[in-house]
Amino acid sequence: MHRIPVVFICENNLYSISSPLSVRHAEGTSVHGRAAAAGVRARSVDGNDVFAVHAAARDAVENARRGEGPVLLELATYRWRAHVGPGLDHDHGYRSKEEIESWMAGCPILRATDALRADEPDIDAAVAAWRAEFQQETHAAVGRAKALPFPDTARLLDGAYLPAPH
């Protein structure tokens, strides 16, 4: 209604905790379809195709900057790991190990690397260096977090609520 310049991203990983969206949404409906029904420009994008995501995001931002109102991009992807925690959850019975492995085979980084290999002969070395750099950065961040003192429970709600109006 107000034509605000905002881009919404829905990372649709096909599951709602441990339920496939197919059992939670009416057949034939989609997140981007609901947004479009509300008058928001919306589209579905292969969330595992970094080039498609980049192009869609660029277009959405350009539309917003031109004053054409909000845009929602529904990025279809997959949650590899358990809803909570680092492990796989195929043993919980709501998805199979084969389903998880088939999505992992379509890893966005692998797909982009494969697509760039012909034009970028050093892409494998660049990706390996990138992985090592971010793994080191992640380990350092975890180390800093573990070194922090445990929070005081008296301050548990600090910042959770605005002060009461006068």
Side-chain angles (χ1 to χ4, degrees):
M1 174 171 40
H2 296 289
R3 312 298 294 163
I4 57 172
V6 63
V7 176
F8 297 102
I9 303 295
C10 171
E11 180 185 301
N12 187 342
N13 67 26
L14 308 180
Y15 282 88
S16 177
I17 304 178
S18 60
S19 299
L21 291 183
S22 61
V23 301
R24 290 186 168 263
H25 291 201
E27 188 175 336
T29 64
S30 64
V31 173
H32 71 278
R34 289 186 178 130
V40 173
R41 180 178 291 123
R43 64 184 278 207
S44 177
V45 180
D46 178 353
N48 286 353
D49 180 341
V50 297
F51 305 107
V53 170
H54 179 264
R58 183 189 59 237
D59 292 346
V61 168
E62 288 173 2
N63 286 337
R65 287 180 176 157
R66 282 194 303 268
E68 296 176 14
V71 178
L72 177 128
L73 300 177
E74 180 181 7
L75 307 180
T77 188
Y78 192 80
R79 172 174 49 87
W80 293 1
R81 299 292 177 177
H83 175 68
V84 178
L88 299 175
D89 56 0
H90 56 83
D91 55 339
H92 296 293
Y94 65 90
R95 61 186 191 163
S96 69
K97 186 175 183 181
E98 293 75 23
E99 178 183 79
I100 297 167
E101 288 172 349
S102 72
W103 278 92
M104 291 175 90
C107 168
I109 295 169
L110 294 177
R111 286 176 62 183
T113 302
D114 288 345
L116 292 170
R117 194 168 282 116
D119 295 328
E120 300 286 339
D122 296 330
I123 192 67
D124 292 306
V127 170
W130 173 79
R131 283 183 191 274
E133 175 187 345
F134 288 107
Q135 188 171 33
Q136 182 179 7
E137 183 179 328
T138 301
H139 288 300
V142 168
R144 286 190 304 275
K146 284 182 174 181
L148 291 171
F150 201 78
D152 179 4
T153 57
R155 303 199 59 190
L156 183 65
L157 298 178
D158 285 4
Y161 299 100
L162 293 173
H166 298 289

